Amino acid sequence: MKAFSLIYLFYAFAFVTHAQSVKPFLAVIKTNDGQQKGILHKVDSNSVVIDAKDGFMRIPTESIKSVKIRRAKKGYKMRNYMAYKEDNSKYKLNREGKFVDDFGHEMPSLKDEAMAAIFSPFFNGIINAIALPIHAINPNVNSFKMNNDKARRVVQLNEISYYSIYYQANPDVLAELHKLKEISAQAKP
């Protein structure tokens, strides 16, 4: 019994610690000086930290005009859309001496199988060439326009911080609980 409880505690601890994964988000930040791109790392009231090509970059919040956030996409993987795998065991000999399946379709000839084996990779290549640019399109972009209103800026920075790696790794659960309580109190008549 003691061994069972130790094993149970080990698995419970393993699943609790690895319950949520951190997802990187790309941030395009327009400032008074130009535009900066990088992975959103941390947001606080004074600055936004991104991981750009040159390393970590701290951008003061007063100089930010707008922020666009999108999820980093994985690379496109080629798929086999027209797999040709003929199962000859499903064909049975009928009264006329021809091999047919349950629906009465005749077994393909050797010529038909060879044509399918030759043209299947060709058509897969065409379909994948069309699917690659469609995969590159990313409509899931969240935009935040900053203005001079300090209260609005604080709310938007708080929303942007949800996408940061730091917040995903260290969520403020107590603050979220208070927000949920406020929302439920407002919803009650």
PDB file of all heavy atoms in Angstrom, residues 106-131:
ATOM      1  N   GLU A 106     -14.911  -3.592 -60.593  1.00  0.00           N
ATOM      2  CA  GLU A 106     -13.927  -4.542 -61.057  1.00  0.00           C
ATOM      3  C   GLU A 106     -12.539  -4.198 -60.508  1.00  0.00           C
ATOM      4  O   GLU A 106     -12.210  -3.037 -60.288  1.00  0.00           O
ATOM      5  CB  GLU A 106     -13.879  -4.507 -62.597  1.00  0.00           C
ATOM      6  CG  GLU A 106     -13.519  -5.837 -63.208  1.00  0.00           C
ATOM      7  CD  GLU A 106     -13.667  -5.808 -64.720  1.00  0.00           C
ATOM      8  OE1 GLU A 106     -14.797  -5.616 -65.209  1.00  0.00           O
ATOM      9  OE2 GLU A 106     -12.634  -5.964 -65.380  1.00  0.00           O
ATOM     10  N   MET A 107     -11.731  -5.222 -60.277  1.00  0.00           N
ATOM     11  CA  MET A 107     -10.379  -5.029 -59.762  1.00  0.00           C
ATOM     12  C   MET A 107      -9.552  -4.269 -60.808  1.00  0.00           C
ATOM     13  O   MET A 107      -9.631  -4.574 -61.997  1.00  0.00           O
ATOM     14  CB  MET A 107      -9.739  -6.384 -59.464  1.00  0.00           C
ATOM     15  CG  MET A 107      -8.388  -6.290 -58.825  1.00  0.00           C
ATOM     16  SD  MET A 107      -7.828  -7.885 -58.213  1.00  0.00           S
ATOM     17  CE  MET A 107      -6.609  -8.264 -59.428  1.00  0.00           C
ATOM     18  N   PRO A 108      -8.783  -3.234 -60.378  1.00  0.00           N
ATOM     19  CA  PRO A 108      -7.997  -2.484 -61.354  1.00  0.00           C
ATOM     20  C   PRO A 108      -6.927  -3.362 -61.995  1.00  0.00           C
ATOM     21  O   PRO A 108      -6.368  -4.258 -61.359  1.00  0.00           O
ATOM     22  CB  PRO A 108      -7.372  -1.360 -60.531  1.00  0.00           C
ATOM     23  CG  PRO A 108      -7.609  -1.668 -59.124  1.00  0.00           C
ATOM     24  CD  PRO A 108      -8.632  -2.725 -59.029  1.00  0.00           C
ATOM     25  N   SER A 109      -6.654  -3.044 -63.248  1.00  0.00           N
ATOM     26  CA  SER A 109      -5.645  -3.818 -63.973  1.00  0.00           C
ATOM     27  C   SER A 109      -4.252  -3.353 -63.538  1.00  0.00           C
ATOM     28  O   SER A 109      -4.086  -2.369 -62.825  1.00  0.00           O
ATOM     29  CB  SER A 109      -5.823  -3.621 -65.479  1.00  0.00           C
ATOM     30  OG  SER A 109      -5.553  -2.268 -65.808  1.00  0.00           O
ATOM     31  N   LEU A 110      -3.259  -4.057 -63.999  1.00  0.00           N
ATOM     32  CA  LEU A 110      -1.875  -3.715 -63.675  1.00  0.00           C
ATOM     33  C   LEU A 110      -1.532  -2.338 -64.241  1.00  0.00           C
ATOM     34  O   LEU A 110      -0.801  -1.559 -63.612  1.00  0.00           O
ATOM     35  CB  LEU A 110      -0.941  -4.798 -64.239  1.00  0.00           C
ATOM     36  CG  LEU A 110       0.523  -4.668 -63.884  1.00  0.00           C
ATOM     37  CD1 LEU A 110       0.715  -4.709 -62.366  1.00  0.00           C
ATOM     38  CD2 LEU A 110       1.345  -5.768 -64.536  1.00  0.00           C
ATOM     39  N   LYS A 111      -2.103  -1.993 -65.396  1.00  0.00           N
ATOM     40  CA  LYS A 111      -1.867  -0.688 -66.021  1.00  0.00           C
ATOM     41  C   LYS A 111      -2.456   0.424 -65.142  1.00  0.00           C
ATOM     42  O   LYS A 111      -1.812   1.455 -64.924  1.00  0.00           O
ATOM     43  CB  LYS A 111      -2.505  -0.663 -67.408  1.00  0.00           C
ATOM     44  CG  LYS A 111      -2.353   0.640 -68.122  1.00  0.00           C
ATOM     45  CD  LYS A 111      -3.064   0.606 -69.467  1.00  0.00           C
ATOM     46  CE  LYS A 111      -3.070   1.968 -70.107  1.00  0.00           C
ATOM     47  NZ  LYS A 111      -3.859   1.997 -71.322  1.00  0.00           N
ATOM     48  N   ASP A 112      -3.672   0.212 -64.630  1.00  0.00           N
ATOM     49  CA  ASP A 112      -4.310   1.207 -63.759  1.00  0.00           C
ATOM     50  C   ASP A 112      -3.515   1.417 -62.467  1.00  0.00           C
ATOM     51  O   ASP A 112      -3.345   2.537 -62.001  1.00  0.00           O
ATOM     52  CB  ASP A 112      -5.742   0.786 -63.419  1.00  0.00           C
ATOM     53  CG  ASP A 112      -6.659   0.798 -64.619  1.00  0.00           C
ATOM     54  OD1 ASP A 112      -6.352   1.516 -65.598  1.00  0.00           O
ATOM     55  OD2 ASP A 112      -7.686   0.082 -64.583  1.00  0.00           O
ATOM     56  N   GLU A 113      -3.018   0.331 -61.885  1.00  0.00           N
ATOM     57  CA  GLU A 113      -2.234   0.444 -60.658  1.00  0.00           C
ATOM     58  C   GLU A 113      -0.918   1.169 -60.906  1.00  0.00           C
ATOM     59  O   GLU A 113      -0.463   1.959 -60.085  1.00  0.00           O
ATOM     60  CB  GLU A 113      -1.979  -0.946 -60.064  1.00  0.00           C
ATOM     61  CG  GLU A 113      -3.203  -1.573 -59.460  1.00  0.00           C
ATOM     62  CD  GLU A 113      -2.915  -2.930 -58.839  1.00  0.00           C
ATOM     63  OE1 GLU A 113      -1.728  -3.314 -58.727  1.00  0.00           O
ATOM     64  OE2 GLU A 113      -3.877  -3.598 -58.447  1.00  0.00           O
ATOM     65  N   ALA A 114      -0.289   0.901 -62.050  1.00  0.00           N
ATOM     66  CA  ALA A 114       0.970   1.573 -62.381  1.00  0.00           C
ATOM     67  C   ALA A 114       0.736   3.070 -62.589  1.00  0.00           C
ATOM     68  O   ALA A 114       1.547   3.896 -62.136  1.00  0.00           O
ATOM     69  CB  ALA A 114       1.589   0.941 -63.627  1.00  0.00           C
ATOM     70  N   MET A 115      -0.347   3.444 -63.268  1.00  0.00           N
ATOM     71  CA  MET A 115      -0.653   4.869 -63.500  1.00  0.00           C
ATOM     72  C   MET A 115      -0.915   5.582 -62.176  1.00  0.00           C
ATOM     73  O   MET A 115      -0.472   6.712 -61.963  1.00  0.00           O
ATOM     74  CB  MET A 115      -1.861   5.007 -64.431  1.00  0.00           C
ATOM     75  CG  MET A 115      -1.603   4.512 -65.831  1.00  0.00           C
ATOM     76  SD  MET A 115      -0.300   5.413 -66.652  1.00  0.00           S
ATOM     77  CE  MET A 115      -1.165   6.853 -67.157  1.00  0.00           C
ATOM     78  N   ALA A 116      -1.644   4.929 -61.279  1.00  0.00           N
ATOM     79  CA  ALA A 116      -1.924   5.538 -59.981  1.00  0.00           C
ATOM     80  C   ALA A 116      -0.640   5.698 -59.176  1.00  0.00           C
ATOM     81  O   ALA A 116      -0.449   6.711 -58.486  1.00  0.00           O
ATOM     82  CB  ALA A 116      -2.927   4.692 -59.217  1.00  0.00           C
ATOM     83  N   ALA A 117       0.262   4.733 -59.252  1.00  0.00           N
ATOM     84  CA  ALA A 117       1.514   4.815 -58.514  1.00  0.00           C
ATOM     85  C   ALA A 117       2.418   5.910 -59.077  1.00  0.00           C
ATOM     86  O   ALA A 117       3.171   6.544 -58.342  1.00  0.00           O
ATOM     87  CB  ALA A 117       2.229   3.476 -58.545  1.00  0.00           C
ATOM     88  N   ILE A 118       2.332   6.176 -60.376  1.00  0.00           N
ATOM     89  CA  ILE A 118       3.165   7.206 -61.001  1.00  0.00           C
ATOM     90  C   ILE A 118       2.603   8.598 -60.748  1.00  0.00           C
ATOM     91  O   ILE A 118       3.327   9.526 -60.394  1.00  0.00           O
ATOM     92  CB  ILE A 118       3.298   6.944 -62.522  1.00  0.00           C
ATOM     93  CG1 ILE A 118       4.138   5.680 -62.758  1.00  0.00           C
ATOM     94  CG2 ILE A 118       3.922   8.135 -63.230  1.00  0.00           C
ATOM     95  CD1 ILE A 118       4.137   5.219 -64.190  1.00  0.00           C
ATOM     96  N   PHE A 119       1.301   8.776 -60.923  1.00  0.00           N
ATOM     97  CA  PHE A 119       0.712  10.110 -60.836  1.00  0.00           C
ATOM     98  C   PHE A 119       0.368  10.561 -59.416  1.00  0.00           C
ATOM     99  O   PHE A 119       0.175  11.747 -59.176  1.00  0.00           O
ATOM    100  CB  PHE A 119      -0.532  10.201 -61.730  1.00  0.00           C
ATOM    101  CG  PHE A 119      -0.182  10.271 -63.181  1.00  0.00           C
ATOM    102  CD1 PHE A 119      -0.497   9.228 -64.029  1.00  0.00           C
ATOM    103  CD2 PHE A 119       0.469  11.381 -63.687  1.00  0.00           C
ATOM    104  CE1 PHE A 119      -0.166   9.294 -65.371  1.00  0.00           C
ATOM    105  CE2 PHE A 119       0.800  11.453 -65.020  1.00  0.00           C
ATOM    106  CZ  PHE A 119       0.488  10.405 -65.871  1.00  0.00           C
ATOM    107  N   SER A 120       0.279   9.651 -58.478  1.00  0.00           N
ATOM    108  CA  SER A 120      -0.040  10.032 -57.105  1.00  0.00           C
ATOM    109  C   SER A 120       0.992  10.996 -56.516  1.00  0.00           C
ATOM    110  O   SER A 120       0.618  12.023 -55.955  1.00  0.00           O
ATOM    111  CB  SER A 120      -0.182   8.785 -56.248  1.00  0.00           C
ATOM    112  OG  SER A 120      -0.477   9.127 -54.922  1.00  0.00           O
ATOM    113  N   PRO A 121       2.320  10.751 -56.638  1.00  0.00           N
ATOM    114  CA  PRO A 121       3.288  11.724 -56.112  1.00  0.00           C
ATOM    115  C   PRO A 121       3.232  13.070 -56.839  1.00  0.00           C
ATOM    116  O   PRO A 121       3.437  14.124 -56.242  1.00  0.00           O
ATOM    117  CB  PRO A 121       4.642  11.057 -56.315  1.00  0.00           C
ATOM    118  CG  PRO A 121       4.349   9.622 -56.487  1.00  0.00           C
ATOM    119  CD  PRO A 121       2.972   9.530 -57.061  1.00  0.00           C
ATOM    120  N   PHE A 122       2.933  13.028 -58.147  1.00  0.00           N
ATOM    121  CA  PHE A 122       2.844  14.269 -58.922  1.00  0.00           C
ATOM    122  C   PHE A 122       1.700  15.144 -58.408  1.00  0.00           C
ATOM    123  O   PHE A 122       1.876  16.336 -58.154  1.00  0.00           O
ATOM    124  CB  PHE A 122       2.635  13.918 -60.403  1.00  0.00           C
ATOM    125  CG  PHE A 122       2.405  15.111 -61.273  1.00  0.00           C
ATOM    126  CD1 PHE A 122       3.434  15.983 -61.560  1.00  0.00           C
ATOM    127  CD2 PHE A 122       1.149  15.360 -61.798  1.00  0.00           C
ATOM    128  CE1 PHE A 122       3.220  17.093 -62.364  1.00  0.00           C
ATOM    129  CE2 PHE A 122       0.928  16.459 -62.599  1.00  0.00           C
ATOM    130  CZ  PHE A 122       1.969  17.327 -62.882  1.00  0.00           C
ATOM    131  N   PHE A 123       0.528  14.560 -58.220  1.00  0.00           N
ATOM    132  CA  PHE A 123      -0.615  15.323 -57.732  1.00  0.00           C
ATOM    133  C   PHE A 123      -0.416  15.747 -56.273  1.00  0.00           C
ATOM    134  O   PHE A 123      -0.845  16.837 -55.871  1.00  0.00           O
ATOM    135  CB  PHE A 123      -1.908  14.533 -57.897  1.00  0.00           C
ATOM    136  CG  PHE A 123      -2.369  14.451 -59.320  1.00  0.00           C
ATOM    137  CD1 PHE A 123      -2.464  13.234 -59.967  1.00  0.00           C
ATOM    138  CD2 PHE A 123      -2.681  15.605 -60.027  1.00  0.00           C
ATOM    139  CE1 PHE A 123      -2.869  13.161 -61.276  1.00  0.00           C
ATOM    140  CE2 PHE A 123      -3.096  15.543 -61.340  1.00  0.00           C
ATOM    141  CZ  PHE A 123      -3.187  14.323 -61.965  1.00  0.00           C
ATOM    142  N   ASN A 124       0.240  14.914 -55.459  1.00  0.00           N
ATOM    143  CA  ASN A 124       0.560  15.320 -54.088  1.00  0.00           C
ATOM    144  C   ASN A 124       1.467  16.546 -54.079  1.00  0.00           C
ATOM    145  O   ASN A 124       1.308  17.437 -53.252  1.00  0.00           O
ATOM    146  CB  ASN A 124       1.231  14.174 -53.324  1.00  0.00           C
ATOM    147  CG  ASN A 124       0.238  13.220 -52.749  1.00  0.00           C
ATOM    148  OD1 ASN A 124      -0.862  13.599 -52.383  1.00  0.00           O
ATOM    149  ND2 ASN A 124       0.615  11.955 -52.672  1.00  0.00           N
ATOM    150  N   GLY A 125       2.430  16.580 -54.988  1.00  0.00           N
ATOM    151  CA  GLY A 125       3.327  17.733 -55.089  1.00  0.00           C
ATOM    152  C   GLY A 125       2.574  19.004 -55.451  1.00  0.00           C
ATOM    153  O   GLY A 125       2.826  20.072 -54.882  1.00  0.00           O
ATOM    154  N   ILE A 126       1.631  18.898 -56.384  1.00  0.00           N
ATOM    155  CA  ILE A 126       0.837  20.065 -56.775  1.00  0.00           C
ATOM    156  C   ILE A 126      -0.030  20.550 -55.623  1.00  0.00           C
ATOM    157  O   ILE A 126      -0.086  21.741 -55.321  1.00  0.00           O
ATOM    158  CB  ILE A 126      -0.030  19.730 -58.013  1.00  0.00           C
ATOM    159  CG1 ILE A 126       0.863  19.570 -59.246  1.00  0.00           C
ATOM    160  CG2 ILE A 126      -1.071  20.824 -58.249  1.00  0.00           C
ATOM    161  CD1 ILE A 126       0.138  19.114 -60.482  1.00  0.00           C
ATOM    162  N   ILE A 127      -0.699  19.625 -54.949  1.00  0.00           N
ATOM    163  CA  ILE A 127      -1.573  20.006 -53.830  1.00  0.00           C
ATOM    164  C   ILE A 127      -0.749  20.622 -52.699  1.00  0.00           C
ATOM    165  O   ILE A 127      -1.144  21.624 -52.102  1.00  0.00           O
ATOM    166  CB  ILE A 127      -2.386  18.785 -53.341  1.00  0.00           C
ATOM    167  CG1 ILE A 127      -3.385  18.376 -54.423  1.00  0.00           C
ATOM    168  CG2 ILE A 127      -3.105  19.103 -52.046  1.00  0.00           C
ATOM    169  CD1 ILE A 127      -4.093  17.072 -54.156  1.00  0.00           C
ATOM    170  N   ASN A 128       0.430  20.065 -52.392  1.00  0.00           N
ATOM    171  CA  ASN A 128       1.281  20.633 -51.347  1.00  0.00           C
ATOM    172  C   ASN A 128       1.835  21.991 -51.752  1.00  0.00           C
ATOM    173  O   ASN A 128       2.017  22.858 -50.898  1.00  0.00           O
ATOM    174  CB  ASN A 128       2.416  19.674 -50.993  1.00  0.00           C
ATOM    175  CG  ASN A 128       1.965  18.578 -50.060  1.00  0.00           C
ATOM    176  OD1 ASN A 128       1.357  18.862 -49.036  1.00  0.00           O
ATOM    177  ND2 ASN A 128       2.245  17.342 -50.405  1.00  0.00           N
ATOM    178  N   ALA A 129       2.103  22.200 -53.051  1.00  0.00           N
ATOM    179  CA  ALA A 129       2.572  23.511 -53.510  1.00  0.00           C
ATOM    180  C   ALA A 129       1.484  24.573 -53.342  1.00  0.00           C
ATOM    181  O   ALA A 129       1.777  25.742 -53.091  1.00  0.00           O
ATOM    182  CB  ALA A 129       3.014  23.431 -54.970  1.00  0.00           C
ATOM    183  N   ILE A 130       0.228  24.176 -53.459  1.00  0.00           N
ATOM    184  CA  ILE A 130      -0.881  25.106 -53.242  1.00  0.00           C
ATOM    185  C   ILE A 130      -1.122  25.305 -51.747  1.00  0.00           C
ATOM    186  O   ILE A 130      -1.407  26.416 -51.292  1.00  0.00           O
ATOM    187  CB  ILE A 130      -2.158  24.582 -53.941  1.00  0.00           C
ATOM    188  CG1 ILE A 130      -1.965  24.613 -55.464  1.00  0.00           C
ATOM    189  CG2 ILE A 130      -3.376  25.391 -53.538  1.00  0.00           C
ATOM    190  CD1 ILE A 130      -3.037  23.897 -56.228  1.00  0.00           C
ATOM    191  N   ALA A 131      -0.971  24.254 -50.943  1.00  0.00           N
ATOM    192  CA  ALA A 131      -1.255  24.332 -49.503  1.00  0.00           C
ATOM    193  C   ALA A 131      -0.194  25.102 -48.733  1.00  0.00           C
ATOM    194  O   ALA A 131      -0.495  25.678 -47.687  1.00  0.00           O
ATOM    195  CB  ALA A 131      -1.392  22.930 -48.925  1.00  0.00           C
TER     196      ALA A 131
END
